């Protein structure tokens, strides 16, 4: 069976240079021994070329040009195409062994998001997925994923959807590499966090570009990447060279969760070193997480201000709005904190104070 790709004929069989050479000898009525005499090559070399046990070297191609009447590049091209086809067919056999791994990759979801093309040919799809991950094979994918596991001891809980989580992380890397960033500057990052806190009252079309720009000026690449099914990820922090990366998925869609997650990840950057990889997901609870939680909590609402708020009895929507305006933060963040602390129930009409976001689709253009 043959394949035709983009009007390019790709055979799935091999024609050796030796077969072509044997045909030429038959047409000329020339024996292998006579060709050996005419070229100065040994009979063994001629026989090995015909049996595809030896290649046609550039020197041999020149000798064939003089004795058989076809230019040297003809013989050299035969050899080159044969070696290319040999490599391609061997790769196809290897690729066939990778198809079970491909089934675990969320291809449809990734294609829907535009991260990879959706292809009918399984081998082409596998190749597109490997190119997306930036690896030569699933073996190298496993090596890269294992490096994340070493850096982040709790990644084992993502084993059931490792291909999906790594696809989400990879998209973060791709987007982060497109952002022009200064080298990381801790002092500058602390300064911009105060500016970013004021952005919590702004709509996404305002705060998104400013958030990315301010963080980039301090050496932090902020990327927004939709989560993939069954991953349960809403944030991640890691380092790429001299820049830090904060990756947000908008999992819970409300402003209190988005901004708490951002400042939580900022806490990881400032407190937990460049070798730490953090992937936020369900069930995560350790000392680093608690430290990042405390950083975000106190950065968004200073402890003294929070104590002042909770002294009031029967907090109303108006009380929360007034307090939020006084400290320069979105009311939804204040409500989220009160709900988290058990002061106000989660299921309450006050949820109208929160802003809810959604991913922009092509229909919104």
């Amino acid at each position: 069976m043959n394949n035709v790709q983009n009007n390019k004929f790709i055979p799935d069989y091999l024609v050796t240079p030796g077969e072509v050479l044997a045909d030429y000898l038959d047409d000329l009525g020339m024996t292998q021994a006579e060709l050996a005499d005419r070229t100065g090559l040994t009979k063994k070399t001629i026989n090995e070329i015909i049996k595809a046990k030896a290649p046609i070297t550039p020197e041999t191609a020149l000798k064939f040009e003089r004795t058989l009447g076809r230019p040297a590049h003809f013989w050299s091209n035969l050899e080159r195409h044969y070696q290319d086809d040999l490599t391609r067919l061997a790769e196809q056999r290897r690729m066939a062994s990778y198809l079970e791994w491909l089934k675990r990759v969320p291809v449809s979801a990734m294609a829907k998001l535009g991260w990879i093309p959706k292809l009918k040919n399984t081998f082409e799809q596998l190749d597109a997925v490997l190119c997306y991950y930036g690896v030569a094979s699933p073996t190298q994918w496993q090596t890269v994923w294992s490096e994340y596991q070493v850096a982040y001891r709790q990644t084992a809980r993502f084993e059931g959807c490792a291909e999906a989580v790594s696809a989400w992380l990879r998209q973060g890397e791709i987007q982060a590499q497109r952002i022009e960033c200064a080298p990381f500057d801790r002092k500058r990052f602390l300064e911009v966090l105060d500016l970013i806190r004021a952005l919590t009252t702004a709509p996404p079309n305002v705060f998104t570009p400013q958030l990315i720009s301010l963080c980039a000026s301090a050496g932090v690449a902020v990327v927004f990447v939709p989560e993939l099914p069954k991953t349960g990820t809403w944030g991640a922090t890691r380092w790429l060279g001299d820049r830090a990366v904060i990756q947000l998925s908008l999992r819970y869609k409300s402003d209190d969760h988005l901004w708490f997650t951002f400042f939580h990840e900022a806490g990881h950057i400032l407190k937990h070193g460049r070798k730490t990889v953090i992937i936020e997901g369900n069930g995560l609870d350790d000392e680093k997480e608690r430290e990042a939680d405390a950083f975000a909590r106190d950065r968004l609402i200073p402890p003294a201000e929070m104590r002042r708020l909770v002294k009031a009895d029967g907090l109303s929507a108006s009380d929360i709005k007034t307090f939020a305006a006084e400290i320069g933060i979105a009311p939804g963040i204040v409500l989220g904190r009160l709900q988290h602390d058990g002061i106000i129930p989660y299921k309450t009409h006050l949820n109208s104070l929160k802003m809810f976001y959604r991913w922009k689709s092509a229909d919104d253009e």
Side-chain angles (χ1 to χ4, degrees):
M1 184 180 295
N2 301 320
N3 298 316
V4 178
Q5 299 177 351
N6 299 325
N7 298 321
K8 181 180 179 182
F9 176 72
I10 301 179
D12 57 2
Y13 57 85
L14 292 173
V15 176
T16 70
E19 292 177 78
V20 178
L21 177 59
D23 288 341
Y24 267 86
L25 294 182
D26 286 343
D27 290 344
L28 294 171
M30 186 183 299
T31 66
Q32 293 183 32
E34 184 179 351
L35 180 62
D37 290 339
R38 289 176 177 274
T39 59
L41 299 169
T42 66
K43 295 177 184 179
K44 179 181 178 182
T45 298
I46 297 297
N47 186 255
E48 287 183 339
I49 290 173
I50 287 177
K51 292 183 177 181
K53 293 181 179 180
I56 296 177
T57 66
E59 182 182 3
T60 299
L62 187 59
K63 291 179 178 180
F64 284 174
E65 177 182 87
R66 291 168 179 163
T67 56
L68 299 175
R70 293 303 302 269
H73 65 76
F74 169 80
W75 300 104
S76 293
N77 284 340
L78 280 177
E79 183 64 39
R80 179 173 60 80
H81 288 309
Y82 169 67
Q83 294 297 336
D84 286 348
D85 289 343
L86 198 64
T87 300
R88 176 179 51 78
L89 291 177
E91 178 64 11
Q92 281 188 0
R93 289 191 291 272
R94 284 193 294 273
M95 294 282 270
S97 68
Y98 301 152
L99 296 183
E100 282 301 313
W101 173 80
L102 181 63
K103 293 178 183 178
R104 300 195 297 272
V105 177
V107 170
S108 295
M110 293 165 66
K112 187 176 181 180
L113 290 167
W115 298 355
I116 58 173
K118 186 68 183 294
L119 303 170
K120 293 182 179 179
N121 183 288
T122 306
F123 291 101
E124 291 177 18
Q125 189 67 75
L126 175 59
D127 189 62
V129 167
L130 292 173
C131 288
Y132 172 81
Y133 282 121
V135 295
S137 77
T139 301
Q140 281 68 54
W141 169 85
Q142 183 62 54
T143 298
V144 174
W145 177 246
S146 295
E147 288 174 356
Y148 275 118
Q149 289 179 302
V150 170
Y152 180 44
R153 62 189 179 281
Q154 295 195 37
T155 308
R157 90 181 175 288
F158 290 121
E159 272 307 306
C161 53
E163 288 80 5
V165 173
S166 62
W168 182 74
L169 290 170
R170 174 60 176 160
Q171 183 61 205
E173 290 178 357
I174 292 170
Q175 292 189 25
Q177 289 165 354
R178 295 172 183 160
I179 298 175
E180 292 187 13
C181 275
F184 179 70
D185 184 327
R186 179 186 177 85
K187 181 179 178 182
R188 171 62 180 165
F189 189 46
L190 285 167
E191 291 172 351
V192 302
L193 287 179
D194 287 334
L195 300 175
I196 290 168
R197 182 178 177 278
L199 292 175
T200 62
T201 60
N205 64 316
V206 174
F207 75 66
T208 301
Q210 293 189 48
L211 171 65
I212 293 171
S213 177
L214 285 168
C215 286
S217 72
V220 178
V222 176
V223 293
F224 293 85
V225 181
E227 67 168 324
L228 291 169
K230 301 180 181 179
T231 57
T233 52
W234 57 74
T237 305
R238 61 204 182 280
W239 290 79
L240 296 177
D242 62 355
R243 71 179 62 183
V245 178
I246 292 178
Q247 184 167 337
L248 304 169
S249 75
L250 201 59
R251 175 172 170 75
Y252 291 103
K253 298 181 174 62
S254 61
D255 59 348
D256 61 318
H257 193 273
L258 170 66
W259 287 110
F260 188 87
T261 301
F262 168 77
F263 279 91
H264 175 99
E265 304 303 338
H268 281 308
I269 290 172
L270 292 165
K271 292 177 174 293
H272 299 141
R274 300 194 176 203
K275 293 184 178 181
T276 301
V277 177
I278 302 292
I279 307 170
E280 311 293 352
N282 294 318
L284 184 60
D285 183 25
D286 67 3
E287 183 179 354
K288 286 187 173 65
E289 288 302 295
R290 289 189 287 274
E291 288 177 350
D293 279 347
F295 178 86
R297 181 187 65 224
D298 296 343
R299 197 84 185 186
L300 286 166
I301 305 177
E305 297 292 350
M306 191 64 191
R307 288 192 295 271
R308 176 170 67 86
L309 174 65
V310 298
K311 286 180 180 179
D313 294 326
L315 289 169
S316 65
S318 178
D319 294 331
I320 293 172
K321 287 181 179 179
T322 299
F323 175 79
E326 288 173 352
I327 67 170
I329 204 167
I333 297 173
V334 178
L335 175 62
R337 171 68 182 278
L338 291 168
Q339 290 173 331
H340 179 271
D341 291 354
I343 298 169
I344 290 179
Y346 276 100
K347 293 182 179 180
T348 172
H349 65 283
L350 294 182
N351 280 321
S352 61
L353 293 175
K354 295 183 181 182
M355 288 192 290
F356 290 87
Y357 310 124
R358 64 182 180 88
W359 289 101
K360 188 175 182 179
S361 67
D363 295 336
D364 298 324
E365 298 294 339

